[in-house]
Protein backbone atom coordinates (compact mmCIF):
# COMPACT_ATOMS: atom_id res chain seq x y z
CA UNK A 1 0.00 0.00 0.00
CA UNK A 2 1.09 3.55 -0.71
CA UNK A 3 0.13 6.42 1.60
CA UNK A 4 0.60 9.91 0.20
CA UNK A 5 1.04 12.58 2.89
CA UNK A 6 -0.25 16.13 2.53
CA UNK A 7 2.38 18.80 1.96
CA UNK A 8 1.41 20.31 5.32
CA UNK A 9 1.76 17.01 7.22
CA UNK A 10 3.77 17.23 10.41
CA UNK A 11 6.42 14.88 11.73
CA UNK A 12 3.84 13.63 14.25
CA UNK A 13 1.40 12.85 11.42
CA UNK A 14 4.05 10.84 9.62
CA UNK A 15 5.02 9.00 12.81
CA UNK A 16 1.38 8.02 13.41
CA UNK A 17 1.13 6.53 9.94
CA UNK A 18 4.35 4.57 10.42
CA UNK A 19 3.12 3.27 13.78
CA UNK A 20 -0.15 2.00 12.25
CA UNK A 21 1.78 0.17 9.54
CA UNK A 22 4.03 -1.50 12.11
CA UNK A 23 1.07 -2.44 14.32
CA UNK A 24 -0.33 -4.42 11.39
CA UNK A 25 2.91 -6.40 11.16
CA UNK A 26 4.29 -4.61 8.10
CA UNK A 27 7.34 -2.45 7.64
CA UNK A 28 7.53 0.99 6.05
CA UNK A 29 9.57 2.74 3.39
CA UNK A 30 9.49 6.55 3.59
CA UNK A 31 10.30 8.57 0.49
CA UNK A 32 10.59 12.32 0.98
CA UNK A 33 10.15 14.46 -2.13
CA UNK A 34 10.26 18.20 -2.67
CA UNK A 35 6.51 18.59 -2.16
CA UNK A 36 5.18 15.27 -0.89
CA UNK A 37 6.22 12.46 1.40
CA UNK A 38 5.16 8.98 0.32
CA UNK A 39 5.06 6.02 2.69
CA UNK A 40 5.10 2.49 1.33
CA UNK A 41 3.73 -0.36 3.47
CA UNK A 42 5.89 -3.43 2.83
CA UNK A 43 4.37 -6.85 3.46
CA UNK A 44 0.90 -8.32 3.08
CA UNK A 45 -0.95 -5.09 2.45
CA UNK A 46 -4.33 -6.85 2.40
CA UNK A 47 -4.28 -6.52 6.18
CA UNK A 48 -4.67 -2.77 5.68
CA UNK A 49 -7.52 -0.68 4.33
CA UNK A 50 -7.01 2.68 2.59
CA UNK A 51 -9.84 4.10 4.68
CA UNK A 52 -7.81 3.43 7.83
CA UNK A 53 -5.22 5.93 6.69
CA UNK A 54 -7.29 8.48 4.79
CA UNK A 55 -9.03 9.52 8.01
CA UNK A 56 -5.72 10.21 9.72
CA UNK A 57 -4.34 13.75 10.07
CA UNK A 58 -1.86 14.68 7.36
CA UNK A 59 -2.85 11.92 4.93
CA UNK A 60 -3.94 12.96 1.43
CA UNK A 61 -4.80 9.53 0.03
CA UNK A 62 -3.94 5.84 0.32
CA UNK A 63 -4.15 3.07 -2.27
CA UNK A 64 -3.48 -0.62 -2.65
CA UNK A 65 -0.67 -1.70 -4.94
CA UNK A 66 -1.63 -5.37 -5.37
CA UNK A 67 -5.03 -6.89 -6.13
CA UNK A 68 -7.32 -7.52 -3.14
CA UNK A 69 -8.17 -10.95 -4.60
CA UNK A 70 -5.06 -12.97 -3.90
CA UNK A 71 -5.75 -16.60 -4.86
CA UNK A 72 -7.79 -16.11 -8.02
CA UNK A 73 -5.49 -13.40 -9.40
CA UNK A 74 -3.00 -14.10 -12.17
CA UNK A 75 -0.34 -12.77 -9.82
CA UNK A 76 -0.69 -15.96 -7.77
CA UNK A 77 -0.11 -18.43 -10.58
CA UNK A 78 1.64 -18.72 -13.92
CA UNK A 79 -0.42 -20.05 -16.80
CA UNK A 80 -4.09 -21.00 -16.90
CA UNK A 81 -5.85 -23.28 -14.46
CA UNK A 82 -7.69 -26.25 -15.98
CA UNK A 83 -10.60 -27.48 -13.87
CA UNK A 84 -11.27 -31.21 -14.33
CA UNK A 85 -14.81 -32.56 -14.09
CA UNK A 86 -14.65 -36.35 -14.08
CA UNK A 87 -11.59 -36.05 -16.29
CA UNK A 88 -13.16 -33.50 -18.66
CA UNK A 89 -10.99 -30.36 -18.81
CA UNK A 90 -12.51 -26.89 -18.59
CA UNK A 91 -10.05 -24.14 -19.34
CA UNK A 92 -7.67 -26.03 -21.59
CA UNK A 93 -7.41 -26.16 -25.37
CA UNK A 94 -10.84 -27.76 -25.73
CA UNK A 95 -13.99 -25.66 -25.41
CA UNK A 96 -16.68 -27.48 -23.45
CA UNK A 97 -20.42 -27.06 -24.00
CA UNK A 98 -22.71 -27.80 -21.07
CA UNK A 99 -26.27 -28.28 -22.32
CA UNK A 100 -29.64 -29.30 -21.00
CA UNK A 101 -33.00 -27.95 -19.91
CA UNK A 102 -33.55 -24.96 -17.68
CA UNK A 103 -35.45 -27.11 -15.21
CA UNK A 104 -35.83 -30.80 -14.48
CA UNK A 105 -39.46 -31.74 -15.16
CA UNK A 106 -40.03 -35.48 -15.65
CA UNK A 107 -37.90 -38.63 -16.02
CA UNK A 108 -39.00 -38.91 -19.65
CA UNK A 109 -38.05 -35.32 -20.40
CA UNK A 110 -34.62 -35.80 -18.81
CA UNK A 111 -33.93 -39.04 -20.67
CA UNK A 112 -34.75 -37.35 -23.97
CA UNK A 113 -32.65 -34.32 -23.05
CA UNK A 114 -29.64 -36.40 -22.01
CA UNK A 115 -29.80 -38.36 -25.25
CA UNK A 116 -29.93 -35.14 -27.27
CA UNK A 117 -27.02 -33.61 -25.32
CA UNK A 118 -24.86 -36.65 -25.99
CA UNK A 119 -25.91 -36.90 -29.64
CA UNK A 120 -24.95 -33.25 -30.23
CA UNK A 121 -21.44 -33.90 -28.91
CA UNK A 122 -21.70 -32.04 -25.59
CA UNK A 123 -19.80 -33.64 -22.72
CA UNK A 124 -21.63 -32.23 -19.70
CA UNK A 125 -25.31 -31.79 -18.85
CA UNK A 126 -27.13 -29.03 -17.02
CA UNK A 127 -30.54 -29.07 -15.36
CA UNK A 128 -32.18 -27.10 -12.58
CA UNK A 129 -33.68 -29.03 -9.68
CA UNK A 130 -33.99 -25.88 -7.57
CA UNK A 131 -35.03 -22.75 -9.46
CA UNK A 132 -34.71 -19.12 -8.32
CA UNK A 133 -37.69 -17.33 -9.85
CA UNK A 134 -38.66 -13.68 -9.78
CA UNK A 135 -42.27 -14.57 -8.98
CA UNK A 136 -43.04 -16.67 -5.89
CA UNK A 137 -45.88 -18.26 -7.85
CA UNK A 138 -43.70 -19.52 -10.71
CA UNK A 139 -42.38 -23.09 -10.88
CA UNK A 140 -39.58 -23.39 -8.33
CA UNK A 141 -38.19 -26.76 -9.41
CA UNK A 142 -38.80 -30.34 -8.28
CA UNK A 143 -36.15 -30.22 -5.56
CA UNK A 144 -34.53 -33.46 -4.44
CA UNK A 145 -36.52 -35.64 -6.84
CA UNK A 146 -35.19 -33.43 -9.63
CA UNK A 147 -31.63 -34.28 -8.63
CA UNK A 148 -32.49 -37.97 -8.93
CA UNK A 149 -34.07 -37.53 -12.38
CA UNK A 150 -31.03 -35.58 -13.55
CA UNK A 151 -28.54 -38.16 -12.32
CA UNK A 152 -30.57 -41.12 -13.60
CA UNK A 153 -30.63 -39.62 -17.09
CA UNK A 154 -27.04 -38.38 -17.22
CA UNK A 155 -25.03 -41.13 -15.54
CA UNK A 156 -25.74 -43.97 -18.03
CA UNK A 157 -24.60 -41.62 -20.80
CA UNK A 158 -21.37 -40.61 -18.99
CA UNK A 159 -22.47 -36.99 -18.70
CA UNK A 160 -21.30 -35.13 -15.56
CA UNK A 161 -24.07 -32.90 -14.22
CA UNK A 162 -24.24 -29.19 -13.42
CA UNK A 163 -27.03 -27.87 -11.21
CA UNK A 164 -27.66 -24.81 -9.07
CA UNK A 165 -27.32 -24.70 -5.29
CA UNK A 166 -29.47 -22.01 -3.70
CA UNK A 167 -29.47 -22.88 -0.01
CA UNK A 168 -26.49 -23.83 2.12
CA UNK A 169 -28.75 -26.30 3.96
CA UNK A 170 -28.98 -28.38 0.76
CA UNK A 171 -25.22 -28.77 0.30
CA UNK A 172 -25.13 -32.17 2.01
CA UNK A 173 -27.91 -33.37 -0.30
CA UNK A 174 -25.89 -32.22 -3.33
CA UNK A 175 -22.92 -34.22 -2.04
CA UNK A 176 -25.15 -37.23 -1.35
CA UNK A 177 -26.41 -37.14 -4.94
CA UNK A 178 -22.83 -36.65 -6.14
CA UNK A 179 -23.47 -33.47 -8.13
CA UNK A 180 -20.39 -33.01 -10.31
CA UNK A 181 -20.42 -29.21 -10.62
CA UNK A 182 -22.18 -26.89 -8.18
CA UNK A 183 -23.57 -23.76 -9.83
CA UNK A 184 -23.91 -20.54 -7.84
CA UNK A 185 -26.49 -18.40 -9.61
CA UNK A 186 -26.36 -14.69 -10.35
CA UNK A 187 -28.68 -13.83 -7.48
CA UNK A 188 -26.42 -15.66 -5.02
CA UNK A 189 -23.07 -14.35 -6.28
CA UNK A 190 -22.67 -12.33 -3.08
CA UNK A 191 -24.32 -14.80 -0.72
CA UNK A 192 -21.10 -14.96 1.26
CA UNK A 193 -22.22 -17.69 3.68
CA UNK A 194 -23.05 -19.92 0.71
CA UNK A 195 -19.71 -19.10 -0.96
CA UNK A 196 -17.81 -19.98 2.21
CA UNK A 197 -19.51 -23.36 2.47
CA UNK A 198 -18.88 -24.41 -1.14
CA UNK A 199 -15.30 -23.30 -0.52
CA UNK A 200 -14.99 -26.18 1.94
CA UNK A 201 -15.96 -28.97 -0.48
CA UNK A 202 -13.91 -30.62 -3.18
CA UNK A 203 -16.31 -29.93 -6.04
CA UNK A 204 -15.93 -27.65 -9.08
CA UNK A 205 -18.05 -24.51 -8.76
CA UNK A 206 -19.52 -22.40 -11.56
CA UNK A 207 -19.87 -18.85 -10.25
CA UNK A 208 -22.27 -16.77 -12.29
CA UNK A 209 -21.87 -13.01 -12.45
CA UNK A 210 -24.42 -10.98 -10.52
CA UNK A 211 -26.97 -8.96 -12.45
CA UNK A 212 -25.14 -5.69 -11.80
CA UNK A 213 -21.80 -6.90 -10.47
CA UNK A 214 -18.49 -5.32 -11.45
CA UNK A 215 -15.58 -7.55 -12.40
CA UNK A 216 -13.89 -6.69 -9.11
CA UNK A 217 -16.95 -7.76 -7.11
CA UNK A 218 -17.16 -10.97 -9.13
CA UNK A 219 -13.49 -11.75 -8.52
CA UNK A 220 -13.86 -11.05 -4.81
CA UNK A 221 -16.83 -13.42 -4.66
CA UNK A 222 -14.62 -16.12 -6.19
CA UNK A 223 -11.96 -15.29 -3.61
CA UNK A 224 -14.42 -16.25 -0.86
CA UNK A 225 -14.63 -19.75 -2.38
CA UNK A 226 -10.89 -20.01 -2.95
CA UNK A 227 -10.09 -18.79 0.56
CA UNK A 228 -11.98 -21.81 1.91
CA UNK A 229 -9.62 -24.16 0.06
CA UNK A 230 -11.64 -24.93 -3.07
CA UNK A 231 -9.76 -23.55 -6.08
CA UNK A 232 -11.86 -25.39 -8.69
CA UNK A 233 -13.76 -22.28 -9.75
CA UNK A 234 -15.25 -21.51 -13.16
CA UNK A 235 -16.53 -17.99 -13.90
CA UNK A 236 -19.72 -17.71 -15.94
CA UNK A 237 -20.73 -14.49 -17.70
CA UNK A 238 -24.52 -14.56 -18.14
CA UNK A 239 -25.34 -11.02 -19.12
CA UNK A 240 -25.77 -7.90 -17.03
CA UNK A 241 -28.73 -5.61 -16.42
CA UNK A 242 -28.69 -2.27 -18.23
CA UNK A 243 -31.23 0.25 -19.47
CA UNK A 244 -31.99 -1.88 -22.55
CA UNK A 245 -35.30 -3.79 -22.60
CA UNK A 246 -35.24 -5.31 -26.10
CA UNK A 247 -33.64 -8.49 -24.76
CA UNK A 248 -33.29 -10.20 -21.42
CA UNK A 249 -29.74 -9.12 -20.49
CA UNK A 250 -26.71 -7.58 -22.16
CA UNK A 251 -24.02 -10.16 -22.80
CA UNK A 252 -20.79 -8.47 -21.73
CA UNK A 253 -18.39 -9.86 -24.32
CA UNK A 254 -15.75 -7.40 -23.10
CA UNK A 255 -15.75 -9.18 -19.74
CA UNK A 256 -14.28 -12.34 -21.27
CA UNK A 257 -10.82 -11.02 -22.27
CA UNK A 258 -10.83 -8.55 -19.37
CA UNK A 259 -11.50 -11.28 -16.81
CA UNK A 260 -9.03 -13.71 -18.36
CA UNK A 261 -6.39 -10.99 -18.02
CA UNK A 262 -7.13 -10.75 -14.29
CA UNK A 263 -7.54 -14.41 -13.37
CA UNK A 264 -5.98 -17.76 -14.22
CA UNK A 265 -9.33 -19.52 -13.78
CA UNK A 266 -11.61 -20.64 -16.65
CA UNK A 267 -14.32 -18.34 -18.01
CA UNK A 268 -17.47 -19.68 -19.67
CA UNK A 269 -20.56 -17.92 -21.04
CA UNK A 270 -24.31 -18.51 -20.73
CA UNK A 271 -25.78 -17.12 -23.99
CA UNK A 272 -29.27 -18.39 -23.15
CA UNK A 273 -29.82 -16.15 -20.14
CA UNK A 274 -28.11 -13.26 -21.88
CA UNK A 275 -30.37 -13.07 -24.92
CA UNK A 276 -33.46 -14.69 -23.47
CA UNK A 277 -34.54 -15.80 -26.96
CA UNK A 278 -33.51 -19.00 -28.70
CA UNK A 279 -32.82 -17.22 -32.00
CA UNK A 280 -30.17 -15.07 -30.28
CA UNK A 281 -28.29 -17.96 -28.67
CA UNK A 282 -26.20 -19.12 -31.68
CA UNK A 283 -24.88 -15.61 -32.44
CA UNK A 284 -24.02 -14.92 -28.81
CA UNK A 285 -22.41 -18.34 -28.41
CA UNK A 286 -20.23 -17.86 -31.49
CA UNK A 287 -19.20 -14.39 -30.32
CA UNK A 288 -18.28 -15.75 -26.88
CA UNK A 289 -16.01 -18.43 -28.33
CA UNK A 290 -14.40 -15.90 -30.67
CA UNK A 291 -13.71 -13.66 -27.65
CA UNK A 292 -11.90 -16.43 -25.80
CA UNK A 293 -14.51 -18.19 -23.66
CA UNK A 294 -13.48 -21.62 -22.37
CA UNK A 295 -16.98 -23.03 -22.62
CA UNK A 296 -20.71 -22.42 -22.92
CA UNK A 297 -23.73 -23.11 -20.73
CA UNK A 298 -26.64 -23.60 -23.14
CA UNK A 299 -30.30 -24.36 -22.53
CA UNK A 300 -31.83 -27.10 -24.66
CA UNK A 301 -35.22 -28.77 -24.20
CA UNK A 302 -36.55 -31.80 -26.11
CA UNK A 303 -39.77 -29.84 -26.74
CA UNK A 304 -39.24 -26.14 -25.92
CA UNK A 305 -42.91 -25.28 -26.46
CA UNK A 306 -43.72 -27.60 -23.53
CA UNK A 307 -40.99 -26.34 -21.17
CA UNK A 308 -42.16 -25.44 -17.67
CA UNK A 309 -39.91 -22.36 -17.54
CA UNK A 310 -37.77 -20.22 -19.89
CA UNK A 311 -39.27 -21.83 -22.99
CA UNK A 312 -38.36 -18.83 -25.17
CA UNK A 313 -34.61 -19.30 -24.76
CA UNK A 314 -34.35 -23.09 -25.09
CA UNK A 315 -32.89 -24.62 -28.24
CA UNK A 316 -34.34 -27.74 -29.80
CA UNK A 317 -32.10 -30.84 -30.06
CA UNK A 318 -31.57 -30.12 -33.77
CA UNK A 319 -30.68 -26.48 -33.09
CA UNK A 320 -28.12 -27.62 -30.51
CA UNK A 321 -26.56 -30.00 -33.04
CA UNK A 322 -26.40 -27.24 -35.63
CA UNK A 323 -24.82 -24.86 -33.10
CA UNK A 324 -22.15 -27.41 -32.21
CA UNK A 325 -21.24 -27.69 -35.88
CA UNK A 326 -20.92 -23.90 -36.22
CA UNK A 327 -18.88 -23.64 -33.04
CA UNK A 328 -16.24 -26.02 -34.35
CA UNK A 329 -15.36 -23.62 -37.14
CA UNK A 330 -15.00 -20.64 -34.81
CA UNK A 331 -13.06 -22.69 -32.27
CA UNK A 332 -10.60 -23.75 -34.96
CA UNK A 333 -10.19 -20.14 -36.08
CA UNK A 334 -9.04 -19.12 -32.60
CA UNK A 335 -6.78 -22.14 -32.15
CA UNK A 336 -9.13 -24.19 -29.99
CA UNK A 337 -11.04 -27.44 -30.35
CA UNK A 338 -14.59 -28.38 -29.40
Amino acid sequence: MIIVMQHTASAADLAAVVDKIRQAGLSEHVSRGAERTIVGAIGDERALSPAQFELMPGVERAMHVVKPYRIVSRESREGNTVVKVRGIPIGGEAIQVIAGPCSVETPEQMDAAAEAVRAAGCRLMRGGAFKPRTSPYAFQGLGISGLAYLQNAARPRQLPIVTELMDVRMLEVFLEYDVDVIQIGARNMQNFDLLKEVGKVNKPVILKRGLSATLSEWLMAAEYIAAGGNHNIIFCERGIRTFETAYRNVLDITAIPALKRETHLPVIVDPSHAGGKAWMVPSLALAAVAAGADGLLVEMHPKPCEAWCDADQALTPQELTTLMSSLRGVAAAVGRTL
Side-chain angles (χ1 to χ4, degrees), residues 24 27 56 74 78 80 84 92 98 102-103 106-107 131 145 170 178 182 194 216 241 250 252 265 281 283 297 309 331:
S27 59
M56 297 178 68
R74 278 208 174 273
E78 292 184 10
N80 295 320
K84 295 286 186 69
I98 306 164
C102 170
S103 64
T106 66
K131 297 300 300 178
S145 60
M170 295 304 298
D178 198 19
I182 297 172
L194 183 59
S216 179
R241 178 170 291 171
V250 175
D252 187 4
L265 294 167
V281 171
S283 296
L297 190 63
C309 69

Side-chain angles (χ1 to χ4, degrees), residues 19 74 84 130 196 212 236 260 274 303 314 328:
D19 286 343
R74 278 208 174 273
K84 295 286 186 69
F130 300 86
K196 289 176 184 177
S212 302
C236 182
K260 289 176 74 69
K303 297 178 180 179
R328 290 188 180 91

Side-chain angles (χ1 to χ4, degrees), residues 20 39 100 149 162 190 192 203 212 235 256 266 274 279 283 331 335:
K20 183 173 282 291
V39 185
Y149 295 166
V162 177
Q190 289 184 309
F192 299 121
K203 289 280 186 180
S212 302
F235 289 94
I256 303 169
W279 63 267
S283 296

